[in-house]
Amino acid sequence: MRPLLRELDRQTGIYEIRVSGRLRYELRRPAPSSAPQIHIVVDRDPDGETGITVYLDGVEATGSHVVVHHVDPGADGADHAWLDERITTGSAVPETVRNKIAELASAYHRDSGCTHPTRDG
């Protein structure tokens, strides 16, 4: 039997080399020498809006593939409307991101002193 090379997982770069029916090796493609870098610049104007710019490997990243979730109750506080707006992200947002947004927004809402029985307050 000739050695057989087969790709098992394209995403993680795992390959199998089968030498015989009993002898097989799994190999992982080495990680790239330099992983991409993400830089996020937050411009928090105390008298106005907060601007966020995302850079991928030094190039400003824009478009539908860049999604920024901004959790800041601002001077008005974290009332029910604010909380509802923050935690209503939709199913297109990954669950881990939705959970983090809900955790942060709920903490701001709790800290606002809310005692409403139907809210996490």
Side-chain angles (χ1 to χ4, degrees), residues 23-121:
L23 186 58
R24 94 184 238 296
Y25 298 97
E26 276 191 19
L27 305 169
R28 181 178 300 268
R29 181 177 56 234
S33 58
S34 75
Q37 286 192 327
I38 299 171
H39 293 264
I40 301 171
V41 178
V42 178
D43 176 15
R44 172 72 168 88
D45 181 347
D47 298 320
E49 303 266 327
T50 299
I52 299 171
T53 309
V54 179
Y55 295 88
L56 176 61
D57 288 333
V59 176
E60 185 174 348
T62 60
S64 61
H65 63 282
V66 176
V67 181
V68 176
H69 302 278
H70 190 222
V71 182
D72 179 359
D76 295 336
D79 62 10
H80 298 307
W82 180 88
L83 178 63
D84 285 340
E85 187 179 317
R86 289 304 163 288
I87 62 176
T88 307
T89 56
S91 61
V93 177
E95 183 178 3
T96 54
V97 176
R98 288 194 314 262
N99 290 344
K100 186 62 175 183
I101 291 169
E103 174 189 330
L104 294 169
S106 295
Y108 280 121
H109 186 67
R110 267 193 310 277
D111 292 346
S112 72
C114 177
T115 58
H116 194 280
T118 62
R119 290 286 187 237
D120 183 24

